[in-house]
Amino acid sequence: MKSRTIAGKIAVTFLIFTAFFTLFRSSMAGIFSLFYANNGIHDAQISTIKSWQSVGILIGMLPSGFLADRIGRLKVLNLSAIIISFSFFLLILKPCFIIFSLAEFLYGIGLAFNSGTLLAYITDLQELNKIKPDSRLMGKQTAILNIATLIGGNIGTWLFGVKMTAPVWFGLLGLALYPLFVIIFIKIMGFHDNRAWIFSNRINFFSAMMAIIKKKSFWILFLVNIGYDCGTQFLMIYWSIIYVKQLGFNLSFVYTAFMCATIFGAWLFQQISGKNLKGLTIISTLCMMLLLCSSSIFSNRYMLLVIFLLIELLMGLLSGQISAFSNWAIYGENNKSLMLSTVSFGVEVVVSLSLIVDDKIIAASSNLTIMYWVSAAYFALILLAVPLLNKGKN
């Protein structure tokens, strides 16, 4: 009974922290470009400004995991909220190209510091209390993340219509209060901060990272994340062009519909995950590849919309599986945060390279539909990770 109570507390902590952070962070998610344009930034400069976010993510990714394992996961989690909050403050301090670029750079570092840190903290609590990884909890977290993104994005859009800087202040104040909320909530739950069990000063950053990349669990996460992230980039970038500009659907309708489909996919995962995570991964990946290829064949706009929503449903389903894989992979590991940040760093590099390749393919073919086949090929990488699941973690 005590174990169930603690498991419930851990689950609530995981979901509440996810919802709070995502709600306020996503207030600017859909309007960054509009905010820059309304502040006199030319369209050609917006992409350059946004590129600094990727630079910040790459620079912050590996040190964040090392730091979290060394000084404490909650400390780094709170630091990520403070950095993002400060980046929002810069947006209204002095609107100009250089300040906006600096804000995006810090925003990227803040995202990097948050990536995987909360999961490492929660997994350590599970180990401490001898609670096994819970696939259903990962599905709930994915659903909560998408719900908070949908709500936060709509709040930000509404506030932007009231006053241009209103969503910035909303996100800034919320994230500034996040560390205080975390401290109070943790005390109420009776939990404490955690870090790597063994962290000798003789263990340096590179030796710890080299030990991690020799593990099979690292390569499982690496392949699964690359397949998913590279495979979804095309739709994430071009969905508004394809389904709104080309097919003529309403922007708000499509956005709300695909977010709801993703949320339903995450809910579906927690209902059917059970113990056969391997079989579910194979089926959902093959279905995703089939749907992507089908999108290049059909021309009816309503059929294409239905396929798109099914793809989004599978994205929610696969997101839950990736979270479950991550929970399983770092369970029992010492440097949990560093493992997750190393995976994220490698994936970010590969995704950046894949975007360059995608641009070349689109330019050479002069046809966006070929990218459905390319995306399906990316998803095939997930299947390469499946055989490794039978061979243990090390």
Side-chain angles (χ1 to χ4, degrees), residues 54-94:
S54 297
V55 175
I57 290 174
L58 285 174
I59 290 178
M61 196 67 73
L62 292 179
S64 69
F66 188 75
L67 195 63
D69 284 336
R70 184 154 195 163
I71 68 172
R73 279 79 185 234
L74 289 183
K75 293 182 181 66
V76 172
L77 195 68
N78 289 336
L79 182 59
S80 73
I82 293 172
I83 292 173
I84 295 177
S85 179
F86 182 69
S87 76
F88 284 177
F89 175 71
L90 290 179
L91 293 176
I92 54 179
L93 180 64
K94 185 180 179 182

Short mmCIF file of all heavy atoms in Angstrom, two decimals, residues 54-94:
data_model
loop_
_atom_site.label_atom_id
_atom_site.label_comp_id
_atom_site.label_asym_id
_atom_site.label_seq_id
_atom_site.Cartn_x
_atom_site.Cartn_y
_atom_site.Cartn_z
N SER A 54 18.85 26.69 -32.12
CA SER A 54 19.49 25.39 -32.34
C SER A 54 20.93 25.40 -31.82
O SER A 54 21.40 24.41 -31.25
CB SER A 54 19.48 25.04 -33.83
OG SER A 54 18.16 24.91 -34.30
N VAL A 55 21.60 26.53 -32.03
CA VAL A 55 22.98 26.66 -31.52
C VAL A 55 22.98 26.55 -30.00
O VAL A 55 23.81 25.86 -29.40
CB VAL A 55 23.60 28.00 -31.97
CG1 VAL A 55 24.99 28.18 -31.33
CG2 VAL A 55 23.71 28.07 -33.48
N GLY A 56 22.03 27.23 -29.35
CA GLY A 56 21.93 27.17 -27.89
C GLY A 56 21.65 25.77 -27.38
O GLY A 56 22.21 25.33 -26.37
N ILE A 57 20.76 25.06 -28.09
CA ILE A 57 20.44 23.68 -27.70
C ILE A 57 21.67 22.80 -27.77
O ILE A 57 21.96 22.03 -26.84
CB ILE A 57 19.31 23.12 -28.59
CG1 ILE A 57 17.99 23.82 -28.29
CG2 ILE A 57 19.15 21.61 -28.39
CD1 ILE A 57 16.85 23.45 -29.22
N LEU A 58 22.42 22.91 -28.87
CA LEU A 58 23.62 22.08 -29.03
C LEU A 58 24.67 22.38 -27.99
O LEU A 58 25.30 21.47 -27.43
CB LEU A 58 24.19 22.27 -30.44
CG LEU A 58 23.42 21.60 -31.58
CD1 LEU A 58 24.01 21.99 -32.92
CD2 LEU A 58 23.42 20.08 -31.43
N ILE A 59 24.87 23.65 -27.71
CA ILE A 59 25.89 24.05 -26.73
C ILE A 59 25.49 23.64 -25.31
O ILE A 59 26.33 23.24 -24.50
CB ILE A 59 26.15 25.56 -26.81
CG1 ILE A 59 26.87 25.91 -28.12
CG2 ILE A 59 26.97 26.06 -25.61
CD1 ILE A 59 27.12 27.38 -28.32
N GLY A 60 24.19 23.73 -25.01
CA GLY A 60 23.75 23.44 -23.65
C GLY A 60 23.45 21.99 -23.36
O GLY A 60 23.38 21.59 -22.19
N MET A 61 23.30 21.16 -24.40
CA MET A 61 22.81 19.80 -24.21
C MET A 61 23.71 18.93 -23.34
O MET A 61 23.29 18.37 -22.33
CB MET A 61 22.58 19.14 -25.57
CG MET A 61 21.73 17.89 -25.51
SD MET A 61 20.03 18.24 -25.04
CE MET A 61 19.40 19.00 -26.53
N LEU A 62 24.97 18.78 -23.75
CA LEU A 62 25.85 17.88 -23.01
C LEU A 62 26.21 18.39 -21.61
O LEU A 62 26.15 17.63 -20.64
CB LEU A 62 27.12 17.61 -23.83
CG LEU A 62 26.91 16.79 -25.11
CD1 LEU A 62 28.24 16.62 -25.85
CD2 LEU A 62 26.32 15.43 -24.80
N PRO A 63 26.59 19.66 -21.45
CA PRO A 63 26.89 20.16 -20.10
C PRO A 63 25.70 20.05 -19.15
O PRO A 63 25.89 19.85 -17.95
CB PRO A 63 27.28 21.63 -20.34
CG PRO A 63 27.71 21.68 -21.75
CD PRO A 63 26.86 20.68 -22.47
N SER A 64 24.47 20.16 -19.67
CA SER A 64 23.30 20.12 -18.80
C SER A 64 23.17 18.77 -18.11
O SER A 64 22.88 18.70 -16.92
CB SER A 64 22.03 20.42 -19.61
OG SER A 64 21.73 19.38 -20.53
N GLY A 65 23.38 17.69 -18.86
CA GLY A 65 23.29 16.36 -18.27
C GLY A 65 24.38 16.11 -17.25
O GLY A 65 24.14 15.56 -16.18
N PHE A 66 25.59 16.53 -17.57
CA PHE A 66 26.72 16.37 -16.67
C PHE A 66 26.48 17.17 -15.38
O PHE A 66 26.71 16.67 -14.27
CB PHE A 66 27.99 16.87 -17.36
CG PHE A 66 29.26 16.60 -16.60
CD1 PHE A 66 29.80 15.33 -16.55
CD2 PHE A 66 29.93 17.63 -15.95
CE1 PHE A 66 30.98 15.08 -15.86
CE2 PHE A 66 31.10 17.39 -15.26
CZ PHE A 66 31.64 16.11 -15.22
N LEU A 67 25.98 18.39 -15.55
CA LEU A 67 25.72 19.27 -14.40
C LEU A 67 24.60 18.72 -13.53
O LEU A 67 24.69 18.74 -12.29
CB LEU A 67 25.37 20.66 -14.91
CG LEU A 67 25.40 21.82 -13.91
CD1 LEU A 67 26.81 22.02 -13.37
CD2 LEU A 67 24.92 23.11 -14.57
N ALA A 68 23.54 18.20 -14.16
CA ALA A 68 22.41 17.67 -13.41
C ALA A 68 22.81 16.46 -12.57
O ALA A 68 22.38 16.30 -11.43
CB ALA A 68 21.28 17.28 -14.37
N ASP A 69 23.65 15.59 -13.14
CA ASP A 69 24.12 14.42 -12.40
C ASP A 69 25.04 14.82 -11.25
O ASP A 69 25.11 14.13 -10.24
CB ASP A 69 24.88 13.48 -13.34
CG ASP A 69 23.95 12.68 -14.24
OD1 ASP A 69 22.78 12.50 -13.86
OD2 ASP A 69 24.38 12.24 -15.31
N ARG A 70 25.71 15.94 -11.41
CA ARG A 70 26.70 16.33 -10.41
C ARG A 70 26.11 17.16 -9.27
O ARG A 70 26.39 16.90 -8.09
CB ARG A 70 27.84 17.12 -11.06
CG ARG A 70 28.95 17.49 -10.11
CD ARG A 70 30.27 17.67 -10.82
NE ARG A 70 31.37 17.67 -9.88
CZ ARG A 70 32.64 17.49 -10.22
NH1 ARG A 70 32.93 17.25 -11.49
NH2 ARG A 70 33.59 17.50 -9.33
N ILE A 71 25.29 18.18 -9.59
CA ILE A 71 24.80 19.08 -8.54
C ILE A 71 23.34 18.82 -8.15
O ILE A 71 22.88 19.32 -7.12
CB ILE A 71 24.97 20.56 -8.94
CG1 ILE A 71 24.03 20.92 -10.10
CG2 ILE A 71 26.41 20.87 -9.29
CD1 ILE A 71 24.00 22.39 -10.43
N GLY A 72 22.59 18.10 -9.00
CA GLY A 72 21.19 17.83 -8.68
C GLY A 72 20.27 18.12 -9.85
O GLY A 72 20.40 19.17 -10.50
N ARG A 73 19.33 17.21 -10.10
CA ARG A 73 18.43 17.36 -11.25
C ARG A 73 17.46 18.53 -11.09
O ARG A 73 17.21 19.28 -12.04
CB ARG A 73 17.64 16.07 -11.48
CG ARG A 73 18.38 14.96 -12.23
CD ARG A 73 19.35 14.22 -11.34
NE ARG A 73 20.16 13.24 -12.06
CZ ARG A 73 20.23 11.96 -11.70
NH1 ARG A 73 19.54 11.50 -10.68
NH2 ARG A 73 21.04 11.14 -12.36
N LEU A 74 16.90 18.71 -9.88
CA LEU A 74 15.96 19.80 -9.68
C LEU A 74 16.63 21.16 -9.80
O LEU A 74 16.00 22.12 -10.27
CB LEU A 74 15.28 19.68 -8.31
CG LEU A 74 14.26 18.55 -8.16
CD1 LEU A 74 13.62 18.60 -6.78
CD2 LEU A 74 13.20 18.61 -9.24
N LYS A 75 17.88 21.26 -9.40
CA LYS A 75 18.60 22.54 -9.52
C LYS A 75 18.73 22.93 -10.99
O LYS A 75 18.53 24.09 -11.36
CB LYS A 75 19.98 22.43 -8.87
CG LYS A 75 19.96 22.26 -7.35
CD LYS A 75 21.37 22.20 -6.80
CE LYS A 75 21.37 22.00 -5.28
NZ LYS A 75 20.84 20.67 -4.91
N VAL A 76 19.07 21.97 -11.83
CA VAL A 76 19.21 22.25 -13.26
C VAL A 76 17.84 22.50 -13.89
O VAL A 76 17.70 23.34 -14.78
CB VAL A 76 19.95 21.09 -13.96
CG1 VAL A 76 19.94 21.27 -15.48
CG2 VAL A 76 21.39 21.01 -13.46
N LEU A 77 16.82 21.77 -13.42
CA LEU A 77 15.46 21.98 -13.92
C LEU A 77 15.00 23.41 -13.63
O LEU A 77 14.44 24.09 -14.50
CB LEU A 77 14.51 20.98 -13.25
CG LEU A 77 13.13 20.79 -13.88
CD1 LEU A 77 13.25 20.12 -15.22
CD2 LEU A 77 12.25 19.96 -12.94
N ASN A 78 15.26 23.88 -12.42
CA ASN A 78 14.90 25.25 -12.06
C ASN A 78 15.73 26.27 -12.83
O ASN A 78 15.23 27.33 -13.22
CB ASN A 78 15.09 25.46 -10.55
CG ASN A 78 14.04 24.72 -9.74
OD1 ASN A 78 12.96 24.42 -10.23
ND2 ASN A 78 14.36 24.43 -8.49
N LEU A 79 16.99 25.93 -13.04
CA LEU A 79 17.86 26.83 -13.80
C LEU A 79 17.36 26.99 -15.23
O LEU A 79 17.42 28.09 -15.79
CB LEU A 79 19.30 26.28 -13.80
CG LEU A 79 20.36 27.13 -14.51
CD1 LEU A 79 20.45 28.52 -13.89
CD2 LEU A 79 21.72 26.43 -14.45
N SER A 80 16.83 25.92 -15.81
CA SER A 80 16.32 26.00 -17.18
C SER A 80 15.14 26.97 -17.26
O SER A 80 15.03 27.75 -18.21
CB SER A 80 15.89 24.61 -17.68
OG SER A 80 14.68 24.19 -17.07
N ALA A 81 14.26 26.94 -16.25
CA ALA A 81 13.12 27.86 -16.22
C ALA A 81 13.58 29.31 -16.09
O ALA A 81 13.04 30.20 -16.73
CB ALA A 81 12.17 27.49 -15.08
N ILE A 82 14.59 29.53 -15.26
CA ILE A 82 15.11 30.89 -15.05
C ILE A 82 15.74 31.42 -16.33
O ILE A 82 15.55 32.59 -16.71
CB ILE A 82 16.13 30.90 -13.90
CG1 ILE A 82 15.41 30.60 -12.57
CG2 ILE A 82 16.85 32.24 -13.82
CD1 ILE A 82 16.36 30.39 -11.40
N ILE A 83 16.50 30.57 -17.03
CA ILE A 83 17.16 30.99 -18.28
C ILE A 83 16.12 31.35 -19.34
O ILE A 83 16.24 32.38 -20.02
CB ILE A 83 18.09 29.88 -18.80
CG1 ILE A 83 19.28 29.70 -17.85
CG2 ILE A 83 18.59 30.20 -20.21
CD1 ILE A 83 20.16 28.51 -18.18
N ILE A 84 15.09 30.52 -19.50
CA ILE A 84 14.05 30.80 -20.49
C ILE A 84 13.27 32.07 -20.11
O ILE A 84 12.94 32.89 -20.97
CB ILE A 84 13.10 29.61 -20.65
CG1 ILE A 84 13.86 28.41 -21.23
CG2 ILE A 84 11.92 29.96 -21.55
CD1 ILE A 84 13.03 27.15 -21.36
N SER A 85 12.99 32.22 -18.80
CA SER A 85 12.31 33.42 -18.34
C SER A 85 13.12 34.67 -18.67
O SER A 85 12.57 35.68 -19.13
CB SER A 85 12.07 33.34 -16.82
OG SER A 85 11.43 34.50 -16.34
N PHE A 86 14.43 34.61 -18.47
CA PHE A 86 15.30 35.74 -18.79
C PHE A 86 15.34 36.00 -20.29
O PHE A 86 15.38 37.15 -20.73
CB PHE A 86 16.71 35.49 -18.26
CG PHE A 86 17.66 36.63 -18.52
CD1 PHE A 86 17.52 37.83 -17.85
CD2 PHE A 86 18.68 36.50 -19.44
CE1 PHE A 86 18.38 38.90 -18.09
CE2 PHE A 86 19.56 37.55 -19.69
CZ PHE A 86 19.40 38.76 -19.01
N SER A 87 15.29 34.93 -21.08
CA SER A 87 15.29 35.10 -22.54
C SER A 87 14.02 35.82 -22.99
O SER A 87 14.05 36.64 -23.92
CB SER A 87 15.42 33.74 -23.23
OG SER A 87 14.20 33.01 -23.20
N PHE A 88 12.89 35.54 -22.33
CA PHE A 88 11.65 36.25 -22.62
C PHE A 88 11.77 37.73 -22.23
O PHE A 88 11.25 38.61 -22.93
CB PHE A 88 10.47 35.61 -21.89
CG PHE A 88 9.99 34.33 -22.50
CD1 PHE A 88 8.98 33.60 -21.90
CD2 PHE A 88 10.54 33.82 -23.66
CE1 PHE A 88 8.51 32.42 -22.45
CE2 PHE A 88 10.10 32.63 -24.23
CZ PHE A 88 9.07 31.94 -23.62
N PHE A 89 12.45 37.99 -21.10
CA PHE A 89 12.65 39.37 -20.66
C PHE A 89 13.44 40.17 -21.70
O PHE A 89 13.15 41.35 -21.95
CB PHE A 89 13.38 39.39 -19.32
CG PHE A 89 13.76 40.76 -18.84
CD1 PHE A 89 12.79 41.64 -18.40
CD2 PHE A 89 15.08 41.18 -18.83
CE1 PHE A 89 13.12 42.92 -17.96
CE2 PHE A 89 15.43 42.44 -18.41
CZ PHE A 89 14.45 43.32 -17.97
N LEU A 90 14.43 39.52 -22.32
CA LEU A 90 15.22 40.20 -23.34
C LEU A 90 14.37 40.61 -24.54
O LEU A 90 14.65 41.62 -25.20
CB LEU A 90 16.37 39.30 -23.81
CG LEU A 90 17.51 39.05 -22.82
CD1 LEU A 90 18.55 38.11 -23.44
CD2 LEU A 90 18.18 40.36 -22.42
N LEU A 91 13.33 39.84 -24.83
CA LEU A 91 12.47 40.14 -25.98
C LEU A 91 11.79 41.50 -25.86
O LEU A 91 11.52 42.16 -26.87
CB LEU A 91 11.40 39.05 -26.15
CG LEU A 91 11.88 37.65 -26.54
CD1 LEU A 91 10.71 36.69 -26.58
CD2 LEU A 91 12.60 37.66 -27.89
N ILE A 92 11.50 41.91 -24.63
CA ILE A 92 10.82 43.19 -24.43
C ILE A 92 11.78 44.27 -23.90
O ILE A 92 11.38 45.43 -23.79
CB ILE A 92 9.63 43.04 -23.46
CG1 ILE A 92 10.07 42.40 -22.15
CG2 ILE A 92 8.53 42.21 -24.10
CD1 ILE A 92 8.95 42.24 -21.14
N LEU A 93 13.01 43.89 -23.61
CA LEU A 93 13.98 44.87 -23.09
C LEU A 93 14.38 45.87 -24.17
O LEU A 93 14.30 47.09 -23.96
CB LEU A 93 15.23 44.14 -22.57
CG LEU A 93 16.34 45.03 -22.00
CD1 LEU A 93 15.83 45.76 -20.75
CD2 LEU A 93 17.57 44.18 -21.66
N LYS A 94 14.80 45.34 -25.31
CA LYS A 94 15.21 46.22 -26.41
C LYS A 94 15.04 45.46 -27.72
O LYS A 94 15.94 44.75 -28.16
CB LYS A 94 16.67 46.66 -26.24
CG LYS A 94 17.11 47.68 -27.29
CD LYS A 94 18.56 48.09 -27.08
CE LYS A 94 18.98 49.10 -28.15
NZ LYS A 94 20.41 49.49 -28.01
#
